[in-house]
Structure formats: structure tokens, C-alpha cells
Amino acid sequence: MQLVRQTGKYARRRKNQVRAAVAVLAASAIASGCAGGDSEGARGAHGQQPLKAPPARALDSYAQKLGAIQAARVAATKRWGLAKVPLPAPPPPRSKPKLTTRKGFEVKGQASLPPVFTTIPTKDKVVFLTIDDGAEKDPQLLKMMGELHLPYTAFLSDYLVKEDYGYFKKMQDRGVTLNNHTLHHRYLPGLSYEDQRHEICDMQNVIQKHYGKRPELFRPPYGNYNRDTLRAAKSCGVKAVPLWASEAFSDHMEWREWDKDLHPGDIILTHFRGREDWKGTMPDMVRRVMKTVTDRGYAVARLEDYL
């Protein structure tokens, strides 16, 4: 009798879990507009009842789409030599987190200037991958990130990008946001306000000319800035200054925090680099990052979804 009671309890638990999963999928499908379509019932496999209600059809379609994406991701994981399948990011937050400058990173008059931060305030187990400068233009990176459905954000410097604007246009066409990392990657605190403004504002113009939109995000070279930097950035339309909590290389990670670990909302920095600059390729770097991220139970999310 004890075995029967345990089995019954397990069955009830499984039934409740299935109901909860279906409810979440249904809500997601309806919220994303998937409940539209023709009004005729869709035929299921032999023995199944037709899905007559629009939400039911939407749920079925949405589940199939999720299954196809996951199957493609599993195949891409194997193809690109990742240790584990990347975890899917949760839906973007309905209310964007309030961004504030990290303690100790303030300048005089910070309240009226773009916030400077290393982590996005969130409870989601997500991190954000950002890639700087533009030196290495590896077509394998574009292919790999697309096949794995991994989001990332680029911060570009014109003296490197101008060698091949088209490479980064392909990146933009794949959904990557292209942001400002100055014209020449100079140490900004050593420049006058006007020279800093030239480095930042003229890079805004370059990105608008070649990619159609002035960025709202700016990252100072080396992470160094002063009050004039933030004043100049604000005058050019910059809304926020994301720095980073950890840095990824092709063969190791480096950490800003004492515990040398990831935290919800952490921003990860890496660079467009190849074998000439470090011990590996861009795909090697992605494999290193994803092993670190996935082993710790995190997903890579799209930075702009939280801003």
C-alpha cells in the first residue's frame, strides 16, 4: 500500500508540473502574439483531438518552434565543440531595471550624467557578453554565434572597424547592437574635454553613417574615464556606460570581484582577437566563456533587453 501511495503522489506531482508548464507556454505564446492565425482546427496525429481553439493551436505551434530551436542548438553545440548545450535565457523583463552608477565609480555631478556600471540589477541567472574594438574579423564567429543563438553586444573603435565596415554590417544584420568605443582607442582622461568629445561624438557619427543609428551605449577604452568623459558622452546622446565584471580570453577568465565568480546580471568583456594576440581563436574564446557560464547555471541574455 505504501508503494501505491507514493506512486499516486508522484503521478499527481507530475500532472501538476505538466499543467504548470503548459500554462507558462500558453501565456508566452499569447503574449508574443502567437495566438493569431486562421480559425479552422488543426489536425493532430492519429488518436488526437483537433486543436480547435486559437490558443491551443498557438500553444502547439509555439511548442513545436521551441523544440526545433532547441534541436538546432543541440546540433550546433556538438558541431562547435561546446561541452554543454547553452541554457536558454528567460523572457526579457517587462519592467527594465533602474540603472545606477556602481559605488566608487562616481564622478562629481554623477546624478546628471550617464550611469557607469559593471552589473545589471536583476535576479535572473543571466550574464551579458560584450566584445570590444574590432581588430579580428573572424567569419567563424558570426556563424558560430548565429547557429548557437547566442546574443552579444559590440563596442567598436573606428581605426580598426574601417578596415571592413561590411563585416560588422553582417553582425548588425544578425541582431547585434553596435556601440561606441571611440575613434582611436585613446586614454581619455589624458585628453581635454574637446578632444574627448571628438573621440566620442565623431564615433557616434561614424556608426550612424555606416549602420544607420547613433548608439546609446558607450564604453571608454581600458575602462578609464573622468567627469569630462561622461559629460562629452552625454552631449553626444549616450545614455549609459557599461563596463564589466569579468573578462574572457581564449584560455582563461579574469575577474573584478574578490570571489572570482559570476553573479546575476554580470557583464562579461572580451575582444575581437585571434591567434596573433592570444592563445586561440574567437570560437575558442566562446567555448571558454560558455563553459564558465553554463557550468555555473547561467544563460547569456541580450544586454539591450535589460536596458
Side-chain angles (χ1 to χ4, degrees):
M1 293 299 292
Q2 182 67 23
L3 177 60
V4 172
R5 285 198 297 272
Q6 289 178 343
T7 303
K9 183 177 181 181
Y10 175 78
R12 288 194 299 274
R13 185 185 303 124
R14 288 291 301 156
K15 188 174 182 180
N16 290 336
Q17 290 172 342
V18 170
R19 284 177 175 173
V22 169
V24 170
L25 285 173
S28 300
I30 295 169
S32 63
C34 295
D38 62 16
S39 59
E40 295 184 15
R43 269 228 186 282
H46 180 70
Q48 292 180 339
Q49 294 298 316
L51 296 172
K52 295 181 180 180
R57 288 201 316 278
L59 176 59
D60 183 62
S61 174
Y62 183 67
Q64 290 180 16
K65 185 182 294 185
L66 287 179
I69 291 173
Q70 182 64 7
R73 211 173 202 190
V74 170
T77 296
K78 182 177 181 180
R79 185 161 54 251
W80 288 102
L82 271 67
K84 296 179 182 178
V85 179
L87 298 173
R94 292 185 178 181
S95 299
K96 306 298 184 184
K98 181 180 180 181
L99 300 175
T100 57
T101 294
R102 176 172 171 157
K103 186 176 181 180
F105 285 55
E106 308 94 338
V107 299
K108 184 178 179 181
Q110 182 67 63
S112 64
L113 296 171
V116 182
F117 47 91
T118 62
T119 299
I120 303 291
T122 179
K123 294 182 180 179
D124 293 341
K125 285 201 74 172
V126 297
V127 293
F128 308 98
L129 180 61
T130 62
I131 312 181
D132 278 11
D133 62 46
E136 182 75 5
K137 302 165 185 67
D138 187 349
Q140 292 300 301
L141 174 70
L142 301 181
K143 186 175 181 181
M144 181 182 196
M145 301 301 270
E147 292 182 0
L148 289 169
H149 298 282
L150 290 176
Y152 59 106
T153 298
F155 290 85
L156 306 179
S157 293
D158 189 52
Y159 83 106
L160 296 169
V161 175
K162 66 183 181 182
E163 298 171 358
D164 187 357
Y165 288 122
Y167 175 82
F168 299 96
K169 183 64 172 71
K170 293 176 183 176
M171 190 174 290
Q172 183 187 43
D173 291 343
R174 288 163 169 80
V176 177
T177 302
L178 307 180
N179 293 297
N180 192 328
H181 199 43
T182 74
L183 289 175
H184 302 104
H185 206 275
R186 300 177 67 184
Y187 175 73
L188 294 179
L191 304 179
S192 67
Y193 171 78
E194 288 302 326
D195 285 343
Q196 291 198 55
R197 196 170 186 281
H198 165 65
E199 282 289 324
I200 301 168
C201 295
D202 284 12
M203 189 60 196
Q204 293 285 84
N205 296 337
V206 167
I207 294 178
Q208 182 175 33
K209 176 181 177 181
H210 291 280
Y211 306 112
K213 185 178 180 181
R214 293 174 72 82
E216 295 186 350
L217 303 182
F218 161 69
R219 175 175 285 162
Y222 317 108
N224 295 128
Y225 61 95
N226 58 16
R227 184 169 183 268
D228 281 347
T229 310
L230 301 185
R231 286 177 56 228
K234 181 180 179 180
S235 76
C236 307
V238 169
K239 305 295 185 185
V241 181
L243 296 184
W244 60 91
S246 60
E247 184 172 357
F249 298 83
S250 62
D251 60 343
H252 71 284
M253 296 283 295
E254 294 184 359
W255 308 90
R256 186 186 293 272
E257 309 302 338
W258 65 271
D259 60 356
K260 298 184 178 181
D261 203 357
L262 295 176
H263 312 89
D266 274 358
I267 298 170
I268 299 174
L269 162 70
T270 190
H271 291 82
F272 290 98
R273 294 285 189 271
R275 291 191 182 279
E276 294 182 358
D277 300 292
W278 60 17
K279 299 176 181 179
T281 64
M282 293 295 287
D284 290 334
M285 176 276 297
V286 175
R287 282 186 278 271
R288 167 66 61 177
V289 168
M290 294 314 302
K291 176 169 177 51
T292 301
V293 170
T294 308
D295 281 354
R296 288 165 167 78
Y298 284 82
V300 175
R302 185 174 178 269
L303 177 63
E304 292 76 14
D305 287 344
Y306 285 75
L307 299 179

